[in-house]
Amino acid sequence: MCGIVGYIGKRPAQDFLLEGLKRLEYRGYDSAGIALLDNGKIKTVKALGKVAELQLKMERSTSSAMAGIAHTRWATHGKPSEKNAHPHIDCKGDVAVVHNGIIENYRELKEALGKRGHAFRSETDTEVIAHLLEEEMSAQGRSASGGKIREVDFEKAFVAMLKQLKGAYGIVAMATKNPEIMLAARLSSPLVLGIGQEEMFIASDASALVGDVKRIVYLDDNEIAVIGKEGYVVKTLSSRKREKEELPLEWNKTVAEHSGYAHFMLKEIFEQPKSFADALRGRLIPGEGKARLGGLRTVEKRLRSINRIVIVSCGTSYHSALVGEYMLEEYAGIKAEVEMASEFRYRKPLLDKKTAVIAISQSGETADTLAAIREAKEKGALVLGIVNVVGSTIARETDAGVYCHAGPEISVASTKAFTSQLAILALLSLYLGRQRGLTLVMGKRIAKELLQIPKYMERVLTQAKAIKKLAKKYAKQAHYLYLGRKYNYPNALEGALKIKEIAYVPAQGYPTGEMKHGPIALIDASVVSVMIMPKDSVYEKNVSGMEEILARGGKILAIATDGDAMLAKKADVIFIPKTLEMLTPLLAVIPLQLFAYYVAVERGYDIDKPRNLAKSVTVE
Ligand code: F6R
């Protein structure tokens, strides 16, 4: 996904801009560019490929400009190329803009601008923004009063330009005529301001600011920010000033470093014992078998009257929601349903005051999930969030919620966010369950077992070498099936998603019981079935499913409970410690993540930058 950084202040802008772009590399991109504003001139440098290419070009002509904007582009309109890379400038080179999102009416705007004499250099939708700004600024310059040329009001021109756009945007612009400020605007595409000492920063993702600023401000939809060396002002489109909450940026620099791991994905897989423990911290009262969720305090009363939960989410967060559905029904005794946010937004969902809609999202910026909660709010439902990124849009737009505290997830393929989301869903089941019929004894058991999970995860991680060997053995497979039942059916979907995303191998996740309704036709000696079959209430059913596959010559790689000697005789096995059935997905998913990772390593792919994928999907 495209990334934006901007700087205005007291030191050469290009240092931060290049560093900021590097910090955003994990989001995926195909080209990069910088515009620097110095001595009344805008200079742009662009490169196809990596930020390192851009840096090489910059090194040939370092600049002392103290204001600049930069961008990593992920092609939407027009192929990846230098000319399509941002920043884009107007005909005269007086304004430069970077943009994330999609301008839906760009064709009409471009045609009209073309007729009025504007020459376009790129195939992008973004370039219309630069030309519209040029036009609005020169319209102001021309409107003479008493023969005097009026001073151009960049801000007014910017707002007039915004009013012509339809679609989604995070925009940052600068102009030679007003070098002391930069302007930014947001509609459905995140932007965050970073506050420094006599310097200001802007980025599409707070991780670009880590190490440079300690306080940040998130822009909301339909807000603009005027930023200068001395500070910032946030306003509405009708120029009304908005007071904004300044939040601490607590991440430290190591989150954006590999710390000795070959890839962020591997680092984050290994971080799970800690990130899981962080999700639980201060939230369990083991002696009372209860969970304490401070983020839900304001809606506690209303939650007591809820009789239905609908969870909306996408991708990996959708899979954690499916596990949550089993947990909530079994332990909280509440009817729960899970909807893919991208589908939910186009249905006519039946929601009422007794329904709680929960959005699960790592980034807190996923466009589909955001649209789903807006729809749910409209319908009067209580809207809650299980979100990782503090201060993100979903976190701000929900009525209440619980943060995952997984720390920044840099790898495009999500891993630790999944297990942290499961931690919160288990806590929520305990919290709601104890408000309803869940017994003290069961509450205590769940709390006690949750506290054991980090230690169990460590044990699973010690098998990384064995999993690597198995990945080597099966790396050339053309197709995988992932099978599981009940709590581990969502894990089958998650395992299949991981291997598709980073190893590009077709894989399907099914409930084991569904095999005989069709997919078993796929089985022959060439197919590997990864079966998640811990000793739980559906173990025997899974064993029958496995026998049917073995009888047809299929190969099995099983995730099993420690000591399952029977399985070890029939299949390749990765063991996980015994735990409560509802918590088995937390342990079983780790071998699936590692297996996908090592298969991708064997196949030689760039794991932290999987093709065609973006970390945060802020467009529909
Ligand atoms: C998978 C993955 C995606 C995300 C999905 C939702 O590894 O990363 O499937 O899970 O795009 O993103 P969030 O959780 O940020 O809403």
Side-chain angles (χ1 to χ4, degrees):
M1 185 54 57
C2 307
I4 287 177
V5 285
Y7 174 87
I8 185 159
K10 58 187 178 191
R11 51 179 163 140
Q14 78 174 50
D15 300 345
F16 164 73
L17 294 177
L18 286 168
E19 188 54 37
L21 289 186
K22 280 190 202 152
R23 292 180 197 147
L24 293 181
E25 279 191 299
Y26 75 94
R27 297 166 62 93
Y29 67 104
D30 48 54
S31 51
I34 272 188
L36 295 164
L37 176 52
D38 199 12
N39 281 329
K41 284 208 169 80
I42 287 174
K43 178 182 142 199
T44 57
V45 184
K46 300 181 184 186
L48 190 59
K50 306 279 177 211
V51 173
E53 301 291 326
L54 181 69
Q55 187 163 18
L56 268 181
K57 284 190 167 183
M58 301 287 298
E59 275 164 9
R60 282 180 226 136
S61 61
T62 46
S63 157
S64 55
M66 296 195 194
I69 52 179
H71 191 262
T72 43
R73 174 172 187 258
W74 195 70
T76 54
H77 294 82
K79 60 182 186 310
S81 68
E82 269 190 28
K83 80 174 181 339
N84 287 335
H86 303 206
H88 290 288
I89 54 171
D90 65 322
C91 295
K92 301 181 207 126
D94 283 341
V95 298
V97 297
V98 286
H99 160 232
N100 284 357
I102 289 175
I103 306 301
E104 285 163 5
N105 59 337
Y106 91 100
R107 278 193 192 81
E108 300 96 278
L109 292 170
K110 189 169 177 175
E111 204 184 309
L113 284 159
K115 282 186 186 149
R116 297 198 291 269
H118 291 264
F120 282 78
R121 298 180 184 89
S122 76
E123 302 152 288
T124 64
D125 53 341
T126 302
E127 198 182 338
V128 300
I129 300 173
H131 293 282
L132 286 175
L133 257 179
E134 172 189 4
E135 220 169 65
E136 291 300 336
M137 288 178 79
S138 66
Q140 282 192 25
R142 271 199 311 274
S143 66
S145 58
K148 262 173 67 190
I149 300 292
R150 269 187 9 189
E151 202 176 302
V152 173
D153 187 332
F154 184 23
E155 195 184 318
K156 264 196 191 148
F158 189 69
V159 172
M161 174 278 294
L162 289 176
K163 287 187 175 157
Q164 298 173 61
L165 304 182
K166 285 197 188 118
Y169 53 75
I171 298 172
V172 186
M174 55 186 194
T176 53
K177 294 207 165 58
N178 299 71
E180 70 293 348
I181 57 166
M182 268 178 198
L183 296 175
R186 172 204 153 123
L187 183 64
S188 305
S189 188
L191 281 178
V192 54
L193 306 180
I195 305 159
Q197 291 281 335
E198 286 179 62
E199 54 183 357
M200 282 292 300
F201 303 76
I202 186 158
S204 51
D205 180 332
S207 61
L209 307 176
V210 174
D212 283 290
V213 305
K214 296 223 158 21
R215 280 177 308 141
I216 54 173
V217 169
Y218 284 96
L219 283 192
D220 283 307
D221 279 354
N222 294 311
E223 283 181 345
I224 66 160
V226 184
I227 65 171
K229 188 177 160 187
E230 304 298 340
Y232 68 96
V233 184
V234 175
K235 296 180 182 176
T236 62
L237 289 183
S238 48
S239 276
R240 216 165 314 127
K241 211 176 146 199
R242 279 253 168 99
E243 285 311 318
K244 299 291 291 183
E245 191 185 358
E246 291 184 2
L247 301 166
L249 181 60
E250 277 157 355
W251 307 341
N252 61 36
K253 261 192 164 162
T254 57
V255 300
E257 288 164 2
H258 285 105
S259 310
Y261 289 94
H263 297 96
F264 283 115
M265 180 177 178
L266 191 62
K267 178 183 174 216
E268 288 163 8
I269 292 172
F270 273 85
E271 274 171 11
Q272 289 177 107
K274 180 178 179 304
S275 52
F276 184 84
D278 287 344
L280 297 186
R281 202 173 309 286
R283 289 169 166 169
L284 271 178
I285 315 170
E288 294 175 33
K290 280 187 179 165
R292 180 196 300 124
L293 296 173
L296 300 184
R297 206 170 299 134
T298 53
V299 293
E300 195 178 341
K301 237 189 187 161
R302 193 156 167 208
L303 272 173
R304 285 182 189 273
S305 65
I306 290 302
N307 61 14
R308 178 174 168 238
I309 289 177
V310 177
I311 312 181
V312 289
S313 47
C314 304
T316 290
S317 299
Y318 170 74
H319 298 153
S320 72
L322 290 173
V323 179
E325 182 180 14
Y326 285 104
M327 288 180 180
L328 286 162
E329 292 198 340
E330 187 162 357
Y331 293 101
I334 301 181
K335 182 173 163 45
E337 298 152 40
V338 180
E339 295 269 3
M340 278 179 187
S342 55
E343 287 297 312
F344 179 86
R345 65 185 294 184
Y346 291 111
R347 291 171 58 154
K348 281 197 178 154
L350 301 175
L351 304 170
D352 58 28
K353 288 202 157 25
K354 294 205 164 211
T355 305
V357 172
I358 305 181
I360 302 185
S361 176
Q362 187 289 125
S363 62
E365 302 293 350
T366 302
D368 288 320
T369 311
L370 192 54
I373 61 166
R374 286 178 178 162
E375 175 69 18
K377 266 188 150 177
E378 193 80 8
K379 297 237 152 57
L382 172 67
V383 179
L384 307 175
I386 296 177
V387 173
N388 190 36
V389 177
V390 175
S392 55
T393 311
I394 294 175
R396 283 177 287 130
E397 292 203 13
T398 38
D399 296 317
V402 187
Y403 280 120
C404 295
H405 295 319
E409 192 181 62
I410 305 288
S411 161
V412 170
S414 184
T415 55
K416 63 174 180 173
F418 178 77
T419 42
S420 296
Q421 289 163 354
L422 291 189
I424 307 302
L425 286 161
L427 289 170
L428 186 66
S429 305
L430 196 55
Y431 176 89
L432 295 173
R434 296 287 281 126
Q435 279 182 352
R436 291 163 170 80
L438 186 69
T439 62
L440 171 66
V441 174
M442 195 60 216
K444 278 180 160 179
R445 262 192 82 191
I446 294 173
K448 191 170 162 219
E449 201 61 12
L450 275 168
L451 291 168
Q452 302 302 312
I453 293 294
K455 187 176 76 197
Y456 295 159
M457 284 175 158
E458 297 282 6
R459 267 167 56 191
V460 179
L461 287 165
T462 60
Q463 296 175 80
K465 264 197 186 145
I467 297 169
K468 189 174 178 179
K469 258 195 186 159
L470 288 169
K472 228 178 185 150
K473 175 171 171 186
Y474 292 117
K476 299 229 158 55
Q477 291 299 134
H479 180 220
Y480 300 93
L481 279 175
Y482 282 75
L483 305 170
R485 284 192 91 134
K486 204 175 168 186
Y487 280 100
N488 282 293
Y489 158 55
N491 253 350
L493 299 178
E494 177 60 8
L497 176 63
K498 287 285 95 80
I499 208 151
K500 279 185 275 209
E501 282 181 303
I502 56 163
Y504 316 142
V505 189
Q508 281 154 301
Y510 279 108
T512 318
E514 189 64 16
M515 282 298 280
K516 53 188 159 311
H517 299 290
I520 200 160
L522 289 169
I523 300 294
D524 62 22
S526 72
V527 175
V528 177
S529 298
V530 180
M531 294 198 69
I532 309 144
M533 41 197 304
K535 285 245 169 96
D536 58 11
S537 64
V538 286
Y539 176 73
E540 297 301 337
K541 309 275 174 203
N542 271 320
V543 171
S544 311
M546 177 183 75
E547 295 293 357
E548 284 167 18
I549 292 171
L550 288 173
R552 285 156 185 84
K555 286 175 256 173
I556 304 283
L557 168 57
I559 316 291
T561 304
D562 276 342
D564 191 335
M566 185 280 284
L567 275 191
K569 281 190 208 135
K570 301 196 175 220
D572 281 322
V573 182
I574 304 161
F575 289 107
I576 59 171
K578 179 146 188 62
T579 185
L580 281 180
E581 179 171 2
M582 70 181 282
L583 303 181
T584 53
L586 285 158
L587 305 178
V589 78
I590 294 176
L592 303 178
Q593 297 166 342
L594 283 169
F595 183 71
Y597 172 80
Y598 287 121
V599 169
V601 170
E602 276 303 308
R603 290 179 161 241
Y605 295 126
D606 188 353
I607 290 160
D608 281 336
K609 298 189 188 75
R611 70 185 182 206
N612 305 338
L613 294 183
K615 180 62 187 163
S616 145
V617 187
T618 52
V619 288
E620 204 186 329

